[in-house]
Amino acid sequence: MHKQSGWIAAGIVAVTMPAGPAVARELVAFDAAAEAGTVVVRTAERRLYFINGDGTAIRYPVAVGKAGKQWTGYARIDGKYLRPAWSPPDEVKRDNPRLPDVIAGGSPSNPMGAAALTLDRGEYAIHGTNRPGSIGTFASYGCIRMYNQDVADLYGRVQVGATVVVTR
């Protein structure tokens, strides 16, 4: 399956989690008016919140877009993929011409990690990573990166069609 310009292809297989932090996510109070199942990304905090609908949210640390690559606004999750293959978008390929056209799902060099939640806004996704040291930083071309075990947790909670709100 290809997403828009062919930047992601899915292979549905079992997810294996590489070593990382024991538990990066935590349950926190969340007062903002948001419907249960909504995902809120606060770029300045480098945190993603999955809204439970009872005044709490699950908070995850994330990496966000680097300077000039950030975006704000609304999107919807339009796909869920385990161990997706990745094709670099044109902008990434221009900046890194030596990248292959496709990196197979499950490959240690695949930047999508264990799972990806694609968004209906351009070539963006909430996804795992092969660079866990980037979590908590401004590192991407606009995607939201998570620890692999956290994206697997979110994958099990979020539904296709869920609203994603990205704020500064």
Side-chain angles (χ1 to χ4, degrees):
M1 170 179 287
H2 292 285
K3 167 94 170 108
Q4 293 181 359
S5 67
W7 70 282
I8 184 170
I12 305 299
V13 294
V15 176
T16 57
M17 298 298 137
V23 177
R25 61 189 169 271
E26 57 189 335
L27 186 64
V28 297
F30 196 87
D31 293 330
E35 185 177 311
T38 299
V39 173
V40 176
V41 178
R42 292 183 174 164
T43 303
E45 290 180 24
R46 290 164 316 283
R47 297 281 188 259
L48 179 149
Y49 296 83
F50 177 78
I51 309 305
N52 291 319
D54 61 358
T56 67
I58 301 169
R59 179 172 63 190
Y60 304 87
V62 296
V64 297
K66 53 189 165 185
K69 307 296 182 195
Q70 298 171 8
W71 59 277
T72 60
Y74 294 85
R76 292 216 178 264
I77 293 176
D78 68 359
K80 293 171 58 172
Y81 306 95
L82 295 173
R83 295 174 50 134
W86 179 71
S87 294
D90 291 341
E91 181 181 15
V92 175
K93 189 76 168 177
R94 271 193 309 274
D95 290 350
N96 302 287
R98 292 191 293 175
L99 283 172
D101 291 336
V102 175
I103 299 176
S107 167
S109 61
N110 184 319
M112 300 301 280
L117 307 167
T118 57
L119 304 179
D120 66 354
R121 179 182 175 141
E123 296 181 315
Y124 299 119
I126 299 167
H127 61 82
T129 185
N130 63 346
R131 294 182 48 225
S134 71
I135 302 303
T137 70
F138 300 95
S140 77
Y141 277 76
C143 286
I144 309 302
R145 292 183 193 167
M146 302 179 76
Y147 289 117
N148 283 320
Q149 55 271 50
D150 285 346
V151 78
D153 181 76
L154 182 63
Y155 181 98
R157 296 176 190 278
V158 74
Q159 300 297 314
V160 170
T163 300
V164 177
V165 181
V166 178
T167 66
R168 293 261 184 248

